[in-house]
């Protein structure tokens, strides 16, 4: 059974600090996605990582992918309150030609002013 | 960008009634749509894959007779929760598959439907 695990599950951090969220998955996948979800809302796409070694950055967030280690990281630099949300990673191992997403457990981030 | 809508956004119903949720891809055709369920403070769980013109594929543990899926056209999939009970209360999110440009997301998510069964 494919498992996608994130840690930490909960993260409370001060504004201005740096931190990393980890996403581990248990089967082969060369694509990984990061999403943000605000309370009561659907998903907002953050990053699409397409290959081993991929690194993408947008503002204070940077995501990377190591397919050999089956690990992706989402690094937060100098956090601000607006980054408070739940972050999900997802993988889409090809299964019978259908690319269905399997989501991680989620990381609830709270940035304290 | 690709847009996916859901209707209704919120629904409250009595136990035992059936509720239909619509998922539409507004500016592209989607042969495949997905239905997810999300309980409070939990992750998204894939319920089923909806295929246009054929039967849906349900994930293990999801009752196909309770969660009826119809993908009648390339832009519309519906999820009907039959004989809803309080334990079916959840946030239901659909997504539409758009695989043509694999350098971006291939799934585009709807805004979700909050179902509350009294």
């Amino acid at each position: 059974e494919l498992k996608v695990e994130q840690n930490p599950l909960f993260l409370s951090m001060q504004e201005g600090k740096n931190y990393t969220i980890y996403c581990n998955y248990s089967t082969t996948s060369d694509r990984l996605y990061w999403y943000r979800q605000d309370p009561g809302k659907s998903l907002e796409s953050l990053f699409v990582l397409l290959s081993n070694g991929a690194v993408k950055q947008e503002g204070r967030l940077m995501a990377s992918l190591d397919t050999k280690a089956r690990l992706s990281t989402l690094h937060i630099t100098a956090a601000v309150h607006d980054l408070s949300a739940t972050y999900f990673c997802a993988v889409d191992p090809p299964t019978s030609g259908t690319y269905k997403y399997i989501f991680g457990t989620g990381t609830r981030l709270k940035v304290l002013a | 960008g690709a847009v996916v809508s859901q209707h209704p956004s919120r629904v409250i119903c009595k136990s035992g009634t059936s509720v239909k949720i619509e998922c539409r891809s507004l500016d592209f055709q989607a042969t495949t749509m997905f239905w997810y369920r999300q309980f409070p403070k939990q992750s998204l769980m894939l319920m089923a894959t909806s295929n246009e013109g054929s039967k849906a594929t349900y994930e293990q543990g999801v009752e196909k007779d309770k969660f009826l899926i119809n993908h009648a056209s390339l832009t519309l999939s519906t999820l009907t929760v039959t004989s809803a009970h309080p334990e079916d209360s959840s946030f239901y999110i659909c997504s539409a598959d758009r695989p043509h440009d694999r350098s971006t997301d291939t799934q585009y998510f709807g805004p979700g439907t909050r179902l509350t069964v009294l």
Side-chain angles (χ1 to χ4, degrees):
Chain A
E1 179 188 350
L2 171 61
K3 289 186 178 180
V4 184
E5 296 181 335
Q6 291 178 231
N7 74 83
L9 298 181
F10 302 96
L11 176 56
S12 179
M13 56 192 297
Q14 296 287 334
E15 276 193 329
K17 299 293 186 182
N18 305 332
Y19 208 84
T20 300
I21 299 170
Y22 298 88
C23 172
N24 292 271
Y25 53 98
S26 62
T27 195
T28 302
S29 179
D30 59 359
R31 297 168 61 87
L32 189 135
Y33 309 86
W34 282 97
Y35 292 91
R36 168 182 172 142
Q37 186 179 38
D38 291 299
K41 304 291 186 181
S42 188
L43 302 178
E44 174 189 349
S45 178
L46 295 176
F47 299 107
V48 180
L49 302 172
L50 298 175
S51 61
N52 186 42
V55 177
K56 288 193 175 180
Q57 183 166 3
E58 181 72 34
R60 301 175 187 274
L61 302 178
M62 183 173 69
S64 65
L65 178 61
D66 181 343
T67 58
K68 294 181 181 179
R70 299 179 181 173
L71 170 69
S72 180
T73 62
L74 180 66
H75 186 73
I76 303 160
T77 301
V80 293
H81 179 70
D82 287 350
L83 290 179
S84 298
T86 299
Y87 293 85
F88 291 99
C89 62
V91 298
D92 65 347
T95 306
S96 302
T98 300
Y99 292 92
K100 59 184 184 182
Y101 288 16
I102 305 299
F103 281 85
T105 45
T107 297
R108 290 176 62 196
L109 170 65
K110 185 173 184 179
V111 181
L112 305 173
Chain B
V3 179
V4 175
S5 69
Q6 278 183 247
H7 178 79
S9 58
R10 290 179 177 270
V11 57
I12 300 173
C13 69
K14 293 182 178 180
S15 185
T17 61
S18 294
V19 175
K20 180 185 285 188
I21 303 170
E22 293 185 348
C23 177
R24 294 181 185 273
S25 56
L26 298 183
D27 53 357
F28 66 99
Q29 293 182 331
T31 56
T32 304
M33 292 183 175
F34 301 89
W35 287 96
Y36 297 85
R37 179 169 54 183
Q38 185 180 32
F39 292 110
K41 296 181 172 55
Q42 295 189 22
S43 186
L44 281 74
M45 298 299 296
L46 179 65
M47 299 175 66
T49 303
S50 171
N51 304 297
E52 189 269 336
S54 65
K55 291 183 179 180
T57 304
Y58 290 82
E59 295 299 303
Q60 191 173 6
V62 178
E63 299 175 59
K64 61 182 179 182
D65 293 332
K66 179 166 185 65
F67 299 99
L68 301 180
I69 291 173
N70 185 11
H71 197 148
S73 75
L74 289 172
T75 59
L76 173 63
S77 175
T78 60
L79 168 68
T80 301
V81 183
T82 62
S83 187
H85 290 285
E87 58 265 30
D88 298 322
S89 298
S90 187
F91 193 46
Y92 292 87
I93 303 175
C94 74
S95 70
D97 190 28
R98 190 183 189 189
H100 299 97
D101 181 0
R102 295 283 292 162
S103 66
T104 63
D105 274 355
T106 57
Q107 288 192 32
Y108 294 86
F109 288 84
T113 296
R114 175 79 56 194
L115 170 63
T116 303
V117 184
L118 302 177

